[in-house]
Amino acid sequence: MNTLFATSLVFVGCCSNVVFLELLVRDFPGCGNIVTFAQFAFIALEGFIFETNFGRKKPHIPLSNYVIMVTMFFTVSVINNYALNFNIAMPLHMIFRSGSLIANMILGIVILKKRYSMSKYLSIALVSLGIFICTIMSAKQVSVEKGATEEDGVYAFMHWLLGIAMLTFALLMSARMGIFQETLYKKYGKHSKEALFYNHCLPLPGFLLLSTDIYKHAVLFSQSSPVEIPVIDQSMPVMWFYLLMNVITQYVCIRGVFILTTECASLTVTLVVTLRKFLSLIISILYFSNPFTAWHWVGTAVVFLGTLLYTEVWSSIRVALKGEKAHKKAK
């Protein structure tokens, strides 16, 4: 029952979150900082009340280790959201972030000296190929659509290239954070809710560096057209409503993933998150009419095929089917 409930939270929360994020980014492409700040503040407030009991509960993992983790987490979150300001379409943004497997494997080999099976290397090759296809197709669209003149086209392309570089850096930094987190959990035990709180609370002072941009977008949000909220029978600026819904759905999504990690095997969690990403991508393409060519579909299919191969879903299904057949024969 908990697994079904958690899976529902992940799909409803995360897919709704993508919709509200796209609604925000469409009108204000540079609003990534205020979105990140709102998400961090909400999750930090919730954790302060329910996880730390208003600061009375001491952390299991030393704060000095959290500071290192938080620095990486803050950097990744800000860069990922800020990259949307560099002509990065939402579908490409989602596909690119699905390449976390590549970054995890590369850093696992370099830092942890891990070795993988041939099927793992094949899956990573497929994910890399899929992302490469989607990126090249998106690059062509930027060159064609964004620039009226050749000079404008070059500038738009260089602007887009910077966004790709930011996403690549964030991908590698996120993988490095994952390895650091793994070593901490081995040493101090797994404390996911505690880590969630400190990862969102400790970076809050860092947003002072972005306060000018956050304030500018807060003013712009306040100037947006009002929308009537049916439940409370009050009106509020539509952009603030989108931001509020984005924050709530982000929290629902995170809580769903957290429940899944405690109830299910990591393979199940990975499969659910992968399917959720695919559904979010479909919603972004169909609902918002984002440009998506046949080659984009090919690239997307290759990415998700590689992801499923990496998680060994096929072999798990075969084992389950064999077990079911053996059980029927025994009867």
Side-chain angles (χ1 to χ4, degrees):
M1 186 67 183
N2 278 346
T3 304
L4 182 62
F5 175 67
T7 305
S8 302
L9 287 182
V10 171
F11 276 95
V12 173
C14 297
C15 293
S16 302
N17 180 258
V18 168
V19 171
F20 287 111
L21 179 59
E22 182 127 16
L23 287 168
L24 287 162
V25 170
R26 286 210 149 202
D27 285 341
F28 298 99
C31 70
N33 289 331
I34 192 171
V35 172
T36 309
F37 172 69
Q39 291 173 350
F40 273 54
F42 183 85
I43 293 170
L45 179 63
E46 188 273 344
F48 181 71
I49 296 169
F50 298 105
E51 171 59 23
T52 70
N53 193 19
F54 296 94
R56 288 193 287 265
K57 181 182 173 184
K58 289 185 177 180
H60 295 90
I61 299 173
L63 281 177
S64 56
N65 288 313
Y66 274 126
V67 168
I68 298 169
M69 193 196 301
V70 158
T71 303
M72 291 189 276
F73 184 67
F74 176 75
T75 305
V76 168
S77 299
V78 170
I79 288 177
N80 269 329
N81 279 338
Y82 197 64
L84 292 168
N85 201 27
F86 289 82
N87 297 338
I88 303 292
M90 188 63 76
L92 179 62
H93 192 271
M94 285 187 277
I95 294 166
F96 214 90
R97 291 179 70 177
S98 297
S100 55
L101 289 176
I102 308 168
N104 287 337
M105 179 175 274
I106 292 170
L107 293 188
I109 293 169
V110 173
I111 297 171
L112 301 178
K113 309 299 180 187
K114 285 185 177 181
R115 290 294 174 263
Y116 298 91
S117 63
M118 280 305 297
S119 65
K120 290 283 194 286
Y121 288 116
L122 175 61
S123 67
I124 293 305
L126 287 172
V127 171
S128 304
L129 176 63
I131 290 174
F132 178 75
I133 291 170
C134 290
T135 305
I136 292 299
M137 291 302 107
S138 296
K140 287 183 177 180
Q141 286 178 341
V142 169
S143 301
V144 172
E145 294 172 13
K146 296 291 181 182
T149 66
E150 188 177 338
E151 189 178 331
D152 289 340
V154 171
Y155 174 77
F157 179 73
M158 294 305 292
H159 200 60
W160 174 86
L161 213 55
L162 183 57
I164 292 294
M166 291 169 72
L167 287 178
T168 305
F169 175 79
L171 204 61
L172 291 169
M173 178 69 80
S174 179
R176 182 65 187 90
M177 184 184 75
I179 290 172
F180 182 72
Q181 203 166 358
E182 191 179 319
T183 56
L184 282 184
Y185 286 162
K186 280 181 182 176
K187 187 175 180 180
Y188 299 102
K190 195 171 184 180
H191 305 284
S192 303
K193 278 201 77 177
E194 178 183 291
L196 184 68
F197 165 69
Y198 284 105
N199 276 343
H200 288 82
C201 178
L202 293 181
L204 288 177
F207 285 101
L208 289 172
L209 300 171
L210 309 169
S211 58
T212 305
D213 181 71
I214 292 171
Y215 176 75
K216 182 184 84 172
H217 280 91
V219 172
L220 290 171
F221 280 16
S222 298
Q223 292 171 351
S224 60
S225 56
V227 62
E228 194 75 27
I229 312 297
V231 181
I232 59 174
D233 199 28
Q234 295 288 326
S235 64
M236 66 185 298
V238 66
M239 298 308 290
W240 281 115
F241 173 71
Y242 290 158
L243 182 61
L244 176 65
M245 295 306 297
N246 175 267
V247 168
I248 292 171
T249 52
Q250 172 79 356
Y251 175 74
V252 170
C253 177
I254 288 174
R255 289 294 297 146
V257 172
F258 171 74
I259 296 169
L260 270 183
T261 56
T262 57
E263 295 286 332
C264 310
S266 59
L267 177 66
T268 307
V269 177
T270 306
L271 181 59
V272 169
V273 171
T274 302
L275 291 174
R276 191 278 304 168
K277 285 179 180 177
F278 187 72
L279 183 58
S280 296
L281 184 66
I282 300 298
I283 292 170
S284 178
I285 295 160
L286 299 180
Y287 186 76
F288 292 100
S289 303
N290 278 310
F292 215 72
T293 64
W295 278 107
H296 281 98
W297 282 113
V298 170
T300 304
V302 172
V303 167
F304 284 102
L305 177 64
T307 304
L308 293 174
L309 181 63
Y310 185 90
T311 56
E312 298 176 350
V313 169
W314 313 120
S315 57
S316 298
I317 291 171
R318 279 200 302 271
V319 169
L321 289 173
K322 282 179 183 177
E324 196 175 306
K325 284 178 183 177
H327 181 68
K328 284 181 180 177
K329 283 181 181 179
K331 283 184 176 181

